[in-house]
């Protein structure tokens, strides 16, 4: 037993090396906080101005025109630098202002730099300007809960992840009472402007705040935030205004590093399939970027599944003189077959391991599941509108909910939903595993959306995969290939002639580098029968040890490890790309405010290009809004951007699917992006999807470029 330490604890704790080792702030964090992101050229001037850019056009929704009349005529505005201005312009630009800022929705790496950019620009122009941070998200505006930000507070969080400085929340200012309370808070603080940092719903909120506070003289500016990458704004002609929301690059890099580590583990331990679910409820942008970053063996893209057409079924239906509507859209069962086929292909070359990546919302792109979700959303929404108690309070258990659905089928409950749910729906729903039934009936989020993150998507798919692999195994189709040299070595070591036994055991003897045990040999019993029938073994003799060993190696053991990547990525410290992007977004916000804009979203053009070509702009929010069903009724919202299956990024991934599956004897093609870091110059400086999608313009003809 070691001798107890004779060093006094107080001396140990007071030692500089110990203090430094256990400090909250380490050397890398100090370097990160001290980093000063570069600024776009326009911000190096004494002043900035806003210039309307007429090349961008929008198709205005009539309802947006009616509800957002004060800001519907907004246009795209370029931020331009100026070293001189008229005296009245200078005076207005330099006046002291009160500006509020709020984070809305989940954290996204880089948010603190939006505050830092805004704070630095505002204080540089007029040190008397006050910046107020609303605490805990929009609730802070409604309740008047805020704090005035200081240099010390802002400096503490520069280039650091999370929304820790002022926290965040998911409340929506979506009714008259909340709006009036918010207006009252702004009046009490004498705010000149309010900045809303959030996703599509939050920027929708920003538009309505701008409309309602227009006559109060309070400017409202939005900032595009979401790790999902589903805020990608284009005009009516498809011209890009916002190529990527901030935080996406960081989250994708964080997920990719972890998944690349699993690729290394899989190819080292050679016994697990790692199943990785990544955030992305509505769009598969993160899964697509992870595929490009890691070259995982299988990556499911929801938008691709939604476009699936089973041409074989169509052909069979045509021959039968009927129309098979189920041939359009991927089914759960077919999806499980696609995954099984890929697993089988790898196993034939001895690779009974791999990495599968899927977006958390992949089930939303499965036709049969989407029908259930739409119907159940309608039923739940209708119930909540018609009754004092909400659906989940009235029917707390799964049995209660299922009984309510059965009553709808039987016509016992004559409410507004009784025609929505029919006997066929009830029959199909009862075939779904109980845990998935519970998932489909789980409580919707605050926006009325089905919460895919609460459903074990990977379990739904893996259960089907395991069932089908079991069937294939029983039929002798699912086996692990045995390397020919390994077989020869094992047999010779055991004193047996591989040339004699090879034709008996393998269906492709001498035809391939990896040998496949015959389909008829599916057990020790059938193996012995084959040996006895061939005259190599007596009825009472045991199977020779070398052959027994080879057989055991050919029997696949489908072992999985499941992982979810979401909260870890959105809490990551931002990449240099996101640090620079968000800091310049903050500077853009101040330019929009100082030049009198409202109802605009801060943006940066040319993100895919060298930083010297970045161009700050103001994007009008109201012209982007359209009617969409939410909670059973039509509401004005910003449209989420999904993966375009015709985009260069997706087409590249689709092209390399077979290569990255690596169902060949050669090594896998895993890619290792490395950790997010601030030191060195080798870190990738922007998302790969951004670079690839920009190629569409770069490789277009001169006439097409001129037209743009």
């Amino acid at each position: 037993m070691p001798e107890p330490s004779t060093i006094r604890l107080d001396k140990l704790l007071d030692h500089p090396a110990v203090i430094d080792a256990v400090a909250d702030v380490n050397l890398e964090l100090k370097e990160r906080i001290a980093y000063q992101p570069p600024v776009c050229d326009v911000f190096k001037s004494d002043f900035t101005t806003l210039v309307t850019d007429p090349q961008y056009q929008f198709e205005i929704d009539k309802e947006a025109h009616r509800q957002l009349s004060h800001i519907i005529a907004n246009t795209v505005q370029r931020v331009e630098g100026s070293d001189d201005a008229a005296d009245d312009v200078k005076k207005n630009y330099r006046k002291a202002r009160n500006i509020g800022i709020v984070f809305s929705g989940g954290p996204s790496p880089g948010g603190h730099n939006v505050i830092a950019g805004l704070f630095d620009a505002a204080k540089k122009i007029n040190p008397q300007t006050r910046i107020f941070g609303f605490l805990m998200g929009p609730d802070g505006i409604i309740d008047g809960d805020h704090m005035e930000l200081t240099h010390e507070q802002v400096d503490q969080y520069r280039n650091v992840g999370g929304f820790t400085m002022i926290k965040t929340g998911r409340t929506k200012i979506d009714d008259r009472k909340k709006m009036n309370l918010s207006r009252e808070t702004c009046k009490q603080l004498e705010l000149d402007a309010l900045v809303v940092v959030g996703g599509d719903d939050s920027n929708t909120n920003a538009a309505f705040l701008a409309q309602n506070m227009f006559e109060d003289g309070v400017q409202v500016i939005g900032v595009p935030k979401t790790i999902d990458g589903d805020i990608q704004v284009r005009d009516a002609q498809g011209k890009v205004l916002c190529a990527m929301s901030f935080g996406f690059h960081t989250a994708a890099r964080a997920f990719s590093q972890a998944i690349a580590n699993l690729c290394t583990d899989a190819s080292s331990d050679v016994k697990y399939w790692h199943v990785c679910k990544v955030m992305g409820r509505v769009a598969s942008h993160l899964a697509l970027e992870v595929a490009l970053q890691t070259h995982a063996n299988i990556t499911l893209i929801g938008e691709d599944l939604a476009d699936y057409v089973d041409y074989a079924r169509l052909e069979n239906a045509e021959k039968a003189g009927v129309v098979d509507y189920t041939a359009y859209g991927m089914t759960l069962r077919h999806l499980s077959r696609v995954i099984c086929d890929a697993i089988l292909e790898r196993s034939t070359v001895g690779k009974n391991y791999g990495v599968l990546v899927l977006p958390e919302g992949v089930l939303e792109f499965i036709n049969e599941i989407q029908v259930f979700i739409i119907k159940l959303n309608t039923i739940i929404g209708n119930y909540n509108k018609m009754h004092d108690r909400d659906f989940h309070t009235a029917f707390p258990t799964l049995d209660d909910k299922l009984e309510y659905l059965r009553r709808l089928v039987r016509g016992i409950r004559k409410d507004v939903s009784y025609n929505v749910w029919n006997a066929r729906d009830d029959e199909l729903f009862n075939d779904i595993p109980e845990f998935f039934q519970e998932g489909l009936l789980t409580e919707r989020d605050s926006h009325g959306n089905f919460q895919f993150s609460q459903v074990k998507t990977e379990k739904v798919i893996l259960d089907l995969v395991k069932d089908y692999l079991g069937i294939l195994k029983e039929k002798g189709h699912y086996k692990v290939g045995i390397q020919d040299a390994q077989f020869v070595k094992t047999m010779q070591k055991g004193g047996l002639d591989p040339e004699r036994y090879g034709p008996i055991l393998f269906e492709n003897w001498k035809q391939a580098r990896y040998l496949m045990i015959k389909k008829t040999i599916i057990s020790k019993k059938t193996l012995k029968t084959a040996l006895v029938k061939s005259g190599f073994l007596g009825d009472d003799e045991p199977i020779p040890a070398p052959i027994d060993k080879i057989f055991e190696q050919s029997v696949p053991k489908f072992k999985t490890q499941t992982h979810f990547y979401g909260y870890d990525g959105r809490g990551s410290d931002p990449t240099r790309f996101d640090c620079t992007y968000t800091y310049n977004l903050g500077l853009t916000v101040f330019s929009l405010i100082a030049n009198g804009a409202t109802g605009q979203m801060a943006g940066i053009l040319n993100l895919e290009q060298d930083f010297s070509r970045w161009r700050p702009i103001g994007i009008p929010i109201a012209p982007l809004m359209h009617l969409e069903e939410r909670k059973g009724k039509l509401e004005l919202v910003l449209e989420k951007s999904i993966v375009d299956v015709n985009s260069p990024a997706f087409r590249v991934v689709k092209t390399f699917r077979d290569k990255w599956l690596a169902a060949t004897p050669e090594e896998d093609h895993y890619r290792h992006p490395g950790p997010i870091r601030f030191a060195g110059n080798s870190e990738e400086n922007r998302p790969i999807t951004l670079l690839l999608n920009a190629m569409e313009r770069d490789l277009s003809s001169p006439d097409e470029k001129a037209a743009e």
Side-chain angles (χ1 to χ4, degrees), residues 221-256:
I221 304 296
V223 182
K225 172 251 15 159
T226 170
I227 69 166
D228 289 351
D230 55 14
I231 298 183
Q232 296 180 19
V233 181
R234 295 173 181 261
D235 76 347
Q237 284 76 44
K239 295 175 182 174
V240 176
L241 288 164
C242 175
M244 191 67 66
S245 52
F246 79 78
F248 172 83
H249 184 232
T250 302
R253 283 293 311 279
F255 298 159
S256 296

Side-chain angles (χ1 to χ4, degrees), residues 149-431:
L149 303 181
T150 65
H151 283 282
E152 291 73 21
Q153 289 166 326
V154 174
D155 289 347
Q156 183 181 353
Y157 291 100
R158 291 179 185 273
N159 309 305
V160 174
F163 285 177
T164 312
M165 190 193 306
I166 57 175
K167 311 296 188 291
T168 188
R170 295 185 177 276
T171 298
K172 288 184 69 176
I173 303 173
D174 55 359
D175 60 38
R176 180 51 50 191
K177 180 180 179 181
K178 293 176 186 175
M179 186 64 70
N180 288 339
L181 289 169
S182 299
R183 291 176 66 186
E184 185 60 32
T185 295
C186 293
K187 287 178 183 177
Q188 289 176 359
L189 289 174
E190 298 180 340
L191 288 191
D192 296 280
L194 173 64
V195 182
V196 179
V197 182
D200 57 302
D201 281 318
S202 300
N203 277 279
T204 293
N205 225 175
F208 282 102
L209 286 165
Q211 171 71 18
N212 282 273
M213 295 186 182
F214 188 86
E215 293 181 353
D216 298 339
V218 179
Q219 300 164 251
V220 181
I221 304 296
V223 182
K225 172 251 15 159
T226 170
I227 69 166
D228 289 351
D230 55 14
I231 298 183
Q232 296 180 19
V233 181
R234 295 173 181 261
D235 76 347
Q237 284 76 44
K239 295 175 182 174
V240 176
L241 288 164
C242 175
M244 191 67 66
S245 52
F246 79 78
F248 172 83
H249 184 232
T250 302
R253 283 293 311 279
F255 298 159
S256 296
Q257 181 198 348
I259 290 171
N261 291 344
L262 293 177
C263 291
T264 300
D265 180 83
S267 59
S268 301
D269 208 16
V270 295
K271 66 178 181 181
Y272 289 116
W273 268 92
H274 290 284
V275 181
C276 307
K277 181 170 71 172
V278 301
M279 269 193 173
R281 187 186 65 80
V282 173
S284 308
H285 296 292
L286 280 167
L288 185 66
E289 179 71 18
V290 166
L292 289 162
Q293 291 276 359
T294 66
H295 301 177
N297 302 114
I298 308 171
T299 300
L300 302 180
I301 303 298
E303 292 83 344
D304 182 39
L305 302 180
D307 282 352
Y308 176 80
V309 178
D310 191 334
Y311 291 102
R313 295 188 70 166
L314 285 179
E315 188 177 335
N316 292 334
E318 188 177 352
K319 290 177 181 177
V322 297
V323 178
D324 187 351
Y325 293 104
T326 62
Y328 298 94
M330 181 72 70
T331 65
L332 261 178
R333 188 170 296 280
H334 189 85
L335 176 58
S336 69
R337 302 299 192 263
V338 170
I339 296 171
C340 285
D341 288 345
I343 292 170
L344 257 65
E345 283 186 57
R346 283 180 61 82
S347 71
T348 59
V349 291
K351 297 177 179 178
N352 195 39
Y353 66 89
V355 177
L356 164 65
V357 175
L358 53 96
E360 78 176 306
V362 67
L363 294 180
E364 189 165 2
F365 295 94
I366 304 300
N367 186 57
E368 60 192 325
I369 302 303
Q370 186 63 277
V371 170
F372 279 141
I373 290 171
I374 292 171
K375 289 195 171 193
L376 293 172
N377 279 354
T378 302
I379 290 168
I380 293 169
N382 285 342
Y383 188 92
N384 291 343
K385 282 191 294 187
M386 300 296 293
H387 298 81
D388 293 333
R389 289 194 301 170
D390 70 272
F391 181 83
H392 294 85
T393 301
F395 308 104
T397 69
L398 176 61
D399 286 341
D400 293 335
K401 295 178 176 70
L402 293 176
E403 179 57 29
Y404 176 77
L405 294 177
R406 294 187 193 103
R407 286 171 174 266
L408 289 179
V409 173
R410 297 197 296 267
I412 296 174
R413 300 198 66 101
K414 294 291 184 180
D415 60 24
V416 291
S417 295
Y418 80 96
N419 280 329
V420 175
W421 196 254
N422 57 45
R424 177 62 175 159
D425 294 324
D426 208 52
E427 180 183 344
L428 289 173
F429 197 70
N430 285 327
D431 287 338

Side-chain angles (χ1 to χ4, degrees), residues 288-587:
L288 185 66
E289 179 71 18
V290 166
L292 289 162
Q293 291 276 359
T294 66
H295 301 177
N297 302 114
I298 308 171
T299 300
L300 302 180
I301 303 298
E303 292 83 344
D304 182 39
L305 302 180
D307 282 352
Y308 176 80
V309 178
D310 191 334
Y311 291 102
R313 295 188 70 166
L314 285 179
E315 188 177 335
N316 292 334
E318 188 177 352
K319 290 177 181 177
V322 297
V323 178
D324 187 351
Y325 293 104
T326 62
Y328 298 94
M330 181 72 70
T331 65
L332 261 178
R333 188 170 296 280
H334 189 85
L335 176 58
S336 69
R337 302 299 192 263
V338 170
I339 296 171
C340 285
D341 288 345
I343 292 170
L344 257 65
E345 283 186 57
R346 283 180 61 82
S347 71
T348 59
V349 291
K351 297 177 179 178
N352 195 39
Y353 66 89
V355 177
L356 164 65
V357 175
L358 53 96
E360 78 176 306
V362 67
L363 294 180
E364 189 165 2
F365 295 94
I366 304 300
N367 186 57
E368 60 192 325
I369 302 303
Q370 186 63 277
V371 170
F372 279 141
I373 290 171
I374 292 171
K375 289 195 171 193
L376 293 172
N377 279 354
T378 302
I379 290 168
I380 293 169
N382 285 342
Y383 188 92
N384 291 343
K385 282 191 294 187
M386 300 296 293
H387 298 81
D388 293 333
R389 289 194 301 170
D390 70 272
F391 181 83
H392 294 85
T393 301
F395 308 104
T397 69
L398 176 61
D399 286 341
D400 293 335
K401 295 178 176 70
L402 293 176
E403 179 57 29
Y404 176 77
L405 294 177
R406 294 187 193 103
R407 286 171 174 266
L408 289 179
V409 173
R410 297 197 296 267
I412 296 174
R413 300 198 66 101
K414 294 291 184 180
D415 60 24
V416 291
S417 295
Y418 80 96
N419 280 329
V420 175
W421 196 254
N422 57 45
R424 177 62 175 159
D425 294 324
D426 208 52
E427 180 183 344
L428 289 173
F429 197 70
N430 285 327
D431 287 338
I432 293 175
E434 187 174 294
F435 80 90
F436 192 29
Q437 288 180 334
E438 199 152 14
L440 288 169
L441 285 164
T442 194
E443 192 166 358
R444 272 47 180 167
D445 67 16
S446 58
H447 307 311
N449 297 319
F450 175 69
Q451 300 188 75
F452 275 100
S453 61
Q454 302 300 314
V455 175
K456 293 182 178 178
T457 307
E458 63 280 15
K459 178 170 171 54
V460 176
I461 295 173
L462 284 179
D463 281 359
L464 289 170
V465 167
K466 289 175 180 177
D467 286 346
Y468 190 54
L469 285 178
I471 293 171
L472 294 175
K473 188 174 178 181
E474 289 177 4
K475 292 182 176 180
H477 295 292
Y478 180 29
K479 298 177 184 292
V480 178
I482 304 297
Q483 193 172 14
D484 53 3
Q486 179 189 353
F487 169 68
V488 170
K489 183 179 179 180
T490 301
M491 295 296 283
Q492 290 176 342
K493 190 176 180 180
L496 300 179
D497 182 3
E499 295 293 335
R500 293 187 65 208
Y501 287 92
I504 306 302
L505 298 175
F506 304 111
E507 61 183 29
N508 60 340
W509 174 246
K510 295 287 189 180
Q511 298 174 26
R513 182 173 157 190
Y514 277 82
L515 306 173
M516 299 300 297
I517 295 286
K518 290 181 177 180
K519 292 184 176 64
T520 53
I521 301 176
I522 59 174
S523 63
K524 294 284 184 71
K525 183 178 180 180
T526 54
L527 171 61
K528 184 170 182 178
T529 299
L531 292 170
V532 171
K533 187 176 180 180
S534 301
F536 288 97
L537 198 67
D539 287 337
D540 298 327
E541 292 180 289
I543 297 171
I547 296 177
D548 187 75
K549 181 178 181 180
I550 290 295
F551 175 78
E552 286 294 337
Q553 290 173 346
S554 77
V555 177
K557 300 170 182 64
F558 184 63
K559 296 181 179 180
T560 61
Q561 296 287 342
T562 57
H563 315 265
F564 176 56
Y565 297 102
Y567 304 107
D568 47 346
R570 74 183 196 183
S572 175
D573 283 331
T575 58
R576 273 185 289 189
F577 171 82
D578 272 325
C579 286
T580 303
Y581 181 20
T582 49
Y583 189 76
N584 281 274
L585 281 175
L587 299 177

Side-chain angles (χ1 to χ4, degrees), residues 47-67:
F47 304 94
T48 59
T49 59
L50 300 180
V51 178
T52 295
D53 195 331
Q55 69 170 303
Y56 299 101
Q57 303 296 322
F58 303 94
E59 294 178 359
I60 308 297
D61 189 290
K62 290 181 180 179
E63 191 62 19
H65 199 287
R66 186 183 72 82
Q67 294 190 36

